[in-house]
Amino acid sequence: MPVPNPESPGTLFAQIGRMIHQRAHETLDPLGLHRGQPFILAILWREEGLTQSQLAERVMISPPSMSHALQRLEDAGYVERRPDPRDDRVQRVYLTDAGRAVREPLDKGWCELEGQIQAGLSEEERETLQRLLMRVRDNLAPGGCAPPRPHPPPADLERSAHGTSASVPSNDTQELI
């Protein structure tokens, strides 16, 4: 098995994921929330009364995982599950007053984290980063991996082949980003 390159995209994603996870805990822990739960709340802030399976599909987790997450949110007092008036077998999920009230501190913490993540990036770089990250996410989603497309060689390798310094950024690098 090859040794992971410390600057490969996969390694960088893993490192960034750990850092975001650590920073997110600084916001989530005081609110009694766990990783993944803010996404459920965000969906419910837009549309209450969804079924557990609708929520699971939107958050892209399994129904049993959603059931566990909802139980934790219910125990924390943020949501409640009620039977569907037309079908008692179906549970619909609604926010409590506490679930609505947690939005402001959660939004504030998330905005601060987003600010840290995007610090120093131009608007164009932010848009490019978002577009590329969405593509990576879609590639990793079940059934989402498109066949590899040919791409230009990394600019550093191309420049070193022509005898120029690999540490000097070029316009080629900007197009690859």
Side-chain angles (χ1 to χ4, degrees), residues 13-161:
F13 277 123
Q15 292 168 344
I16 292 166
R18 280 192 302 272
M19 288 183 225
I20 290 172
H21 182 78
Q22 290 169 344
R23 299 286 188 329
H25 271 291
E26 295 170 9
T27 296
L28 300 177
D29 288 349
L31 300 172
L33 290 169
H34 301 275
R35 191 177 68 175
Q37 292 176 333
F39 301 107
I40 297 168
L41 291 171
I43 291 167
L44 292 171
W45 290 327
R46 287 188 297 268
E47 183 180 5
E48 289 189 59
L50 297 171
T51 66
Q52 292 178 200
S53 50
Q54 288 171 322
L55 280 168
E57 186 177 304
R58 292 185 189 186
V59 179
M60 295 188 273
I61 63 174
S62 69
S65 295
M66 178 56 70
S67 181
H68 178 71
L70 289 174
Q71 185 61 54
R72 290 177 90 165
L73 284 168
E74 208 168 27
D75 291 345
Y78 290 126
V79 301
E80 61 182 11
R81 291 181 270 193
R82 300 181 212 149
D84 183 294
R86 293 177 299 270
D87 185 349
D88 287 343
R89 296 170 296 172
V90 176
Q91 295 281 313
R92 297 207 171 263
V93 183
Y94 296 88
L95 292 165
T96 63
D97 289 341
R100 287 180 197 87
V102 76
R103 183 175 185 166
E104 187 177 331
L106 196 54
D107 281 351
K108 182 179 183 279
W110 195 253
C111 285
E112 289 172 4
L113 179 57
E114 285 290 327
Q116 284 182 309
I117 291 169
Q118 298 181 37
L121 299 178
S122 70
E123 186 61 34
E124 182 180 343
E125 289 170 325
R126 290 175 186 209
E127 289 171 8
T128 300
L129 177 62
Q130 181 175 3
R131 181 177 45 78
L132 293 174
L133 290 173
M134 289 169 62
R135 187 182 309 162
V136 170
R137 179 206 56 205
D138 293 347
N139 287 346
L140 294 174
C145 189
R149 290 181 293 209
H151 53 77
D156 288 348
L157 295 177
E158 191 174 289
R159 283 193 309 276
S160 64

